[in-house]
């Protein structure tokens, strides 16, 4: 299996990221069935705003040197890290790469930030993601999560998940 590596996101990554966000196959499971339209300038602003948060990082995930996804994170409260993981290259999905990121990279980042808990919100209908998160030890959180509407106006709900770091 290819080595997974990570590097800080670069402006040269933005066109590829925009393609991932436009792809309904990538975005439908996370609640955006038509994909998301983001320009390179919009992505630059999104990345800059995210990186201004405490403890924030935005990394490009590479498999065998090929950019295949992104991993972003931040400290949302003392000891609590939130994150997002996207395997943007559709042909790289369901190969266990997301599980590897969660088992190998997420704990290292959380430790570096001093996080004792890691949290994420997942679309309630994203059975694949919910299975992967449960497999690596995430449990449902009791904290409320906000619903949202996709581009077609359909209401989506999320499940809050948390992982205690040992």
């Amino acid at each position: 299996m290819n080595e997974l590596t990570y590097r800080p996101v670069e402006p040269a990554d933005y066109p590829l990221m925009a393609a991932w966000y436009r792809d309904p196959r990538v975005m439908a499971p996370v609640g955006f069935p038509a994909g998301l339209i983001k320009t390179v300038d919009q992505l630059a602003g999104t990345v800059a705003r995210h990186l201004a948060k405490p403890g924030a990082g935005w990394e490009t995930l590479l498999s065998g040197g090929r950019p295949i996804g992104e991993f972003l994170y931040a400290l949302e409260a003392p000891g609590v890290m939130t994150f997002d993981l996207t395997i943007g290259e559709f042909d790289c999905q369901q190969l266990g790469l997301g599980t590897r990121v969660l088992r190998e990279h997420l704990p290292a980042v959380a430790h570096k930030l001093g996080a004792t808990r890691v949290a994420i919100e997942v679309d309630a209908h994203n059975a694949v993601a919910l299975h992967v998160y449960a497999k690596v030890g995430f449990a449902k959180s009791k904290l409320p999560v906000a619903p949202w509407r996709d581009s077609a106006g359909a209401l989506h709900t999320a499940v809050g998940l948390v992982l205690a770091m040992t």
Side-chain angles (χ1 to χ4, degrees), residues 32-94:
F32 300 98
L36 292 172
I37 305 301
K38 295 263 187 178
T39 67
V40 168
D41 288 341
Q42 288 170 324
L43 281 171
T46 299
V47 170
R49 282 187 300 280
H50 178 78
L51 292 177
K53 295 179 181 179
W58 197 314
E59 300 171 335
T60 299
L61 167 62
L62 301 105
S63 175
R66 173 187 173 206
I68 63 159
E70 63 184 359
F71 180 78
L72 53 147
Y73 54 88
L75 282 175
E76 292 297 328
V80 180
M81 184 183 96
T82 59
F83 75 100
D84 194 13
L85 169 63
T86 303
I87 305 296
E89 291 297 320
F90 188 72
D91 66 327
C92 293
Q93 292 187 357
Q94 298 195 10

Side-chain angles (χ1 to χ4, degrees), residues 10-37:
E10 303 168 351
D13 296 321
Y14 299 164
L16 181 57
M17 292 164 60
W20 296 336
Y21 297 158
R22 279 191 307 271
D23 188 341
R25 298 172 305 168
V26 173
M27 299 306 293
V30 297
F32 300 98
L36 292 172
I37 305 301

Side-chain angles (χ1 to χ4, degrees), residues 67-148:
I68 63 159
E70 63 184 359
F71 180 78
L72 53 147
Y73 54 88
L75 282 175
E76 292 297 328
V80 180
M81 184 183 96
T82 59
F83 75 100
D84 194 13
L85 169 63
T86 303
I87 305 296
E89 291 297 320
F90 188 72
D91 66 327
C92 293
Q93 292 187 357
Q94 298 195 10
L95 299 177
L97 299 174
T99 301
R100 285 180 57 197
V101 172
L102 296 172
R103 286 189 172 144
E104 299 168 6
H105 190 59
L106 179 125
V109 173
H111 178 73
K112 177 181 81 172
L113 296 177
T116 56
R117 290 182 299 147
V118 177
I120 189 168
E121 293 181 3
V122 180
D123 187 300
H125 296 290
N126 190 343
V128 171
L130 291 169
H131 171 76
V132 169
Y133 290 122
K135 183 168 60 173
V136 298
F138 279 81
K140 287 185 182 178
S141 169
K142 294 178 180 157
L143 297 174
V145 293
W148 75 96

Side-chain angles (χ1 to χ4, degrees), residues 147-159:
W148 75 96
R149 293 194 182 277
D150 65 27
S151 58
L155 187 64
H156 291 260
T157 57
V159 176

